[in-house]
Amino acid sequence: MEGLRPNSRPGRHRSDGQVRIPEVDPLFGSGIRMTAGWAQHDGAGADLGFWTLLSRLPRLMRISFGLAWQAGHLLLPVAVTAKLLAGAATGAVLLATNAVLVLLLSGPPTLERLTQALPVLLGVAVAGVARSVLSSMGDAVNGKLAPRIDRAATVRLLERAVRVELVIIKNAEFRNLMSAAARGALSARMVTTYAIALVEALTGLVAAAGVLTVLHPLLMPLMVVVTVPSAWGAVRMARARFVSMKRWTELQRQLETLSELLIGSSPAEEVRAHRAGGFLLHHYQRLARLSEAEQARLAGLEARTNLMSDGVAGLARLAMYGVLGALLTSGAVPLAVAGTVIIAIRTGTGHLTALVSAVNDLYEQGLFVQDWKQACDRAEQEAIRGGTIKLDQPPDQIFARNLWFTYPNNEQPSLAGIDMTVRRGEIVALVGENGSGKTTLAKLLTGLYMPQRGAVWWDGRTTAELDRATLFDHVALVAQDFVHWPFTARVNVTIGRSTRRPDAAALRESAAFGRADEVVDRLDAGWETLLAPEFLGGTMLSGGQWQRIGLARAHYRNASVVIFDEPTAALDPRAELEVFDRVGDLAKGGRAVILVTHRLASVRRADRIYVLDRGRVIEHGTHDALMALNGRYAELYSLQAKQHQDSVPSS
Ligand SMILES: Nc1ncnc2c1ncn2[C@@H]1O[C@H](COP(=O)(O)OP(=O)(O)OP(=O)(O)O)[C@@H](O)[C@H]1O
């Protein structure tokens, strides 16, 4: 464990003042963030100039606005209009305030002057209320729109993802794009929220600048001078926060991973038995200290930046008062206007700071939304297309000719020129050592993957010509890693054919097929028991119990082509024997059964056995023929038989 201890003490700083995080973490290697698509844009705006960033915004915002329009039609224009009007009301408040001050301060206070000022004062109040109402209305409309955008973006992504070719959805690069897109779907609502904030800030700023210009042309540049230091401080801190977040996010994810490992239920056994808790805690503390140091650095930088910008702003304000004093003494600006000038400058400064931060936020969120769009488009391109010929009856025969298949990013083909046949009423077994291509072949036979060379024929049509949805209707699959749906026992079986009307007799029959009935009988709430220990009231099943549920599910699917990929690996010997008897019954009932297994004793009854080695069929025939051949199958079979004899004590 010593060797894994970090050699960099947390809190040490780089020459640029940032906390040094080791390039290669002793626990996470080169880091999680490298593989996470969504992380690539964190702090994306940090390297760009403010104006470049501003110029790229419209392109990014177009995607989100398109989505907002689809999700809520007029809601976005209504929200933006409300904020624009709120901005105009800000201008009205300032102008009316000025009118009141002019009236009240243009001479000694008299009752007459007060009475004259009352209607304008009322105007100030009305404009102020209107501003609040309009601004709140904009927020309320946006509050209604935002979840709709969430739903529209997420549903569009999910709809497209579910139709993507299996080989693509399993590809790491596509998975990365999907993780970025899932983050982007959540950002779409934020883009519109920030855009509305930007409109509010911009109109408020324009109103303040307009009022100042009306009062005296020199006052507007004066406001700019006063706001420059605060705007500089805001931009600098936004940048620094971006850069920090980039590092902070990475640390945060590592901390979350460690915390999940420490409190999670699946690693709990090993955390205790291997006493890994102390090790994990040690690294948690180490990373937490790095994170603390980074936050402390940021807080220090913020304090220094604020001090500097406040200092310069103070000087600018002093100069402003000087200029204002000069304008007052020269009579260019009446004394009564001075109050309005100060209020307008304060309003303008606040809006300018909000504007800068909205632009930064918009840019970053916009990039995430761009990922979402890219993933949706790519998913559409990669959707399962297949042919147009509908398969309306079960195939009598499936055969593969000269089948080649290489996974993306692999150099070696996983299947290299396979020929094989399976007919209705037959059990065909695929055997061979780990990685020889059995599972891949089963997926090609059922149209889950398409061959790069050669073809799989379902009667007179290739899987490429057939409409894949109708082809899948004839397939039932018990995969090695079949899904443990976090739903009730009933749904876990009936999801095998979710379009079928509830059929209690069929459910009972399927449960008996997989011996899942014995499992369900022992559950507290029977078929309604939730099979998800992660939820309150959920139950945990053992591996073998799950396998029985999986078998029942495949049976309930009632398909003519059934693939069993290691269906009994977790079953006890009695259950295993029974399952193989029933697999035989399935074939006798007119189904084509493809059985992938390492249990050679159970393939004796298969009509044909294909022995695979590095993607090729090296032997095929019945059990007796292959034993007589005395080749690889005979060797593997004898090895297993001997192992079995050795493990059973002789009487
Ligand atoms: N999704 C994938 N991406 C890349 N390569 C893969 C993928 N799935 C399988 N392979 C590769 O294809 C080859 C055949 O794998 P396959 O799973 O078909 O073998 P198998 O005979 O079923 O193995 P096992 O008996 O261990 O289940 C292996 O070299 C494996 O590394």
Side-chain angles (χ1 to χ4, degrees):
M1 192 169 111
E2 267 316 298
L4 286 176
R5 283 188 190 269
N7 51 12
S8 66
R9 283 176 59 79
R12 278 192 190 169
H13 290 72
R14 305 186 317 186
S15 55
D16 60 2
Q18 295 203 19
V19 175
R20 186 153 64 86
I21 298 175
E23 286 293 313
V24 179
D25 186 88
L27 212 52
F28 293 98
S30 53
I32 302 175
R33 81 174 280 109
M34 299 305 169
T35 59
W38 58 266
Q40 63 187 317
H41 299 317
D42 276 341
D47 306 329
L48 294 177
F50 186 73
W51 298 112
T52 321
L53 198 142
L54 199 65
S55 68
R56 291 186 186 175
L57 265 189
R59 189 167 50 87
L60 296 177
M61 281 162 72
R62 219 175 306 130
I63 305 170
S64 302
F65 285 178
L67 195 61
W69 177 259
Q70 274 174 16
H73 293 293
L74 283 175
L75 289 182
L76 183 64
V78 168
V80 169
T81 312
K83 291 292 182 183
L84 279 172
L85 293 175
T90 303
V93 169
L94 286 173
L95 285 175
T97 307
N98 183 54
V100 173
L101 292 176
V102 169
L103 268 171
L104 292 180
L105 304 178
S106 53
T110 61
L111 191 63
E112 190 192 349
R113 232 187 235 120
L114 263 177
T115 324
Q116 272 179 353
L118 265 182
V120 195
L121 256 178
L122 203 68
V124 173
V126 170
V129 169
R131 182 180 55 187
S132 300
V133 169
L134 285 164
S135 181
S136 306
M137 206 178 112
D139 291 339
V141 174
N142 184 42
K144 196 170 167 183
L145 176 64
R148 286 200 200 183
I149 297 177
D150 257 3
R151 177 162 56 89
T154 310
V155 168
R156 193 186 302 177
L157 183 71
L158 298 180
E159 268 172 2
R160 297 198 181 184
V162 87
R163 287 190 279 125
V164 167
E165 281 281 3
L166 182 67
V167 73
I168 302 292
I169 203 93
K170 287 190 178 274
N171 180 269
E173 184 230 334
F174 189 78
R175 298 231 54 77
N176 231 9
L177 188 61
M178 278 289 145
S179 96
R183 167 78 167 78
L186 299 178
S187 291
R189 72 184 286 171
M190 281 147 94
V191 168
T192 48
T193 303
Y194 289 136
I196 290 168
L198 183 130
V199 169
E200 187 168 26
L202 196 64
T203 47
L205 183 68
V206 168
V211 168
L212 285 173
T213 313
V214 169
L215 296 178
H216 192 279
L218 247 187
L219 294 175
M220 221 275 273
L222 217 56
M223 180 191 83
V224 175
V225 171
V226 175
T227 44
V228 162
S230 338
W232 167 83
V235 171
R236 184 171 194 239
M237 272 326 292
R239 287 285 125 85
R241 254 182 251 120
F242 275 151
V243 177
S244 171
M245 202 180 79
K246 193 170 165 182
R247 309 155 64 69
W248 162 249
T249 314
E250 181 178 355
L251 276 177
Q252 206 50 35
R253 296 187 64 224
Q254 293 174 344
L255 283 167
E256 276 164 21
T257 304
L258 285 177
S259 137
E260 278 161 21
L261 289 171
L262 278 160
I263 60 178
S265 105
S266 14
E269 286 88 354
E270 219 167 295
V271 163
R272 281 152 186 77
H274 289 184
R275 296 172 57 81
F279 170 79
L280 295 174
L281 259 174
H282 159 75
H283 283 281
Y284 186 93
Q285 298 251 35
R286 168 180 68 84
L287 292 169
R289 270 187 224 112
L290 279 175
S291 161
E292 278 163 28
E294 174 62 9
Q295 289 175 75
R297 180 195 70 82
L298 196 65
L301 180 70
E302 186 150 20
R304 286 194 301 280
T305 305
N306 286 346
L307 211 62
M308 267 192 286
S309 70
D310 285 355
V312 181
L315 290 176
R317 232 172 277 128
L318 215 63
M320 176 194 83
Y321 287 127
V323 175
L324 201 55
L327 289 173
L328 290 172
T329 46
S330 67
V333 170
L335 184 64
V337 169
T340 316
V341 172
I342 291 165
I343 296 173
I345 287 179
R346 287 184 77 92
T347 310
T349 314
H351 284 307
L352 190 61
T353 312
L355 185 86
V356 170
S357 123
V359 168
N360 271 324
D361 291 341
L362 261 178
Y363 181 74
E364 188 168 353
Q365 298 305 324
L367 284 176
F368 287 121
V369 179
Q370 199 178 31
D371 284 341
W372 165 85
K373 172 88 170 61
Q374 199 189 337
C376 287
D377 292 349
R378 175 88 195 281
E380 188 61 24
Q381 282 165 16
E382 304 287 3
I384 295 176
R385 301 250 179 263
T388 49
I389 301 167
K390 296 206 183 315
L391 185 75
D392 38 25
Q393 56 185 17
D396 285 328
Q397 172 171 269
I398 298 175
F399 61 94
R401 288 292 171 269
N402 191 27
L403 212 56
W404 287 76
F405 183 80
T406 308
Y407 283 97
N409 307 327
N410 278 11
E411 283 181 13
Q412 294 296 323
S414 293
L415 298 179
I418 299 265
D419 289 328
M420 68 160 289
T421 307
V422 52
R423 298 183 192 88
R424 277 178 75 170
E426 279 185 352
I427 301 179
V428 164
L430 305 179
V431 304
E433 289 168 14
N434 293 128
S436 55
K438 304 178 294 294
T439 301
T440 308
L441 176 56
K443 286 180 181 163
L444 267 101
L445 292 173
T446 50
L448 280 166
Y449 290 152
M450 286 290 132
Q452 282 109 15
R453 267 162 65 189
V456 174
W457 297 79
W458 281 46
D459 291 337
R461 302 288 183 187
T462 66
T463 46
E465 291 170 321
L466 288 167
D467 171 279
R468 223 94 62 85
T470 60
L471 185 151
F472 292 148
D473 269 346
H474 294 278
V475 176
L477 177 70
V478 185
Q480 263 176 27
D481 49 355
F482 70 94
V483 186
H484 298 185
W485 298 104
F487 307 137
T488 63
R490 181 187 301 280
V491 174
N492 259 287
V493 174
T494 56
I495 202 166
R497 182 75 71 181
S498 53
T499 48
R500 189 170 173 177
R501 282 169 167 276
D503 182 343
L507 181 62
R508 268 198 307 278
E509 195 189 326
S510 299
F513 170 82
R515 291 189 58 195
D517 45 0
E518 295 166 18
V519 177
V520 175
D521 285 348
R522 282 161 60 183
L523 296 174
D524 286 345
W527 283 110
E528 309 317 321
T529 309
L530 175 64
L531 304 185
E534 63 270 33
F535 291 120
L536 220 55
T539 295
M540 178 140 166
L541 293 188
S542 73
Q545 287 173 324
W546 263 117
Q547 205 148 36
R548 293 174 188 210
I549 298 278
L551 285 164
R553 182 190 304 160
H555 183 271
Y556 189 84
R557 184 149 177 78
N558 193 22
S560 51
V561 180
V562 192
I563 313 275
F564 291 109
D565 195 345
E566 290 296 352
T568 59
L571 293 188
D572 59 63
R574 188 200 306 274
E576 182 179 356
L577 272 176
E578 282 194 31
V579 165
F580 280 118
D581 280 346
R582 289 174 195 191
V583 167
D585 294 343
L586 281 184
K588 281 186 209 130
R591 291 180 172 91
V593 177
I594 299 163
L595 177 63
V596 178
T597 185
H598 290 287
R599 310 254 173 135
L600 297 190
S602 59
V603 303
R604 289 181 61 148
R605 276 180 285 173
D607 294 278
R608 239 176 350 280
I609 300 162
Y610 289 88
V611 184
L612 272 76
D613 180 41
R614 278 175 262 179
R616 295 175 189 277
V617 173
I618 53 166
E619 291 168 16
H620 68 98
T622 60
H623 168 79
D624 291 341
L626 290 176
M627 289 306 283
L629 192 68
N630 204 17
R632 178 75 57 85
Y633 177 84
E635 181 197 347
L636 291 174
Y637 189 87
S638 309
L639 264 175
Q640 277 194 10
K642 182 169 180 312
Q643 196 181 23
H644 182 69
Q645 275 167 8
D646 291 350
S647 62
V648 178
S650 48
S651 51

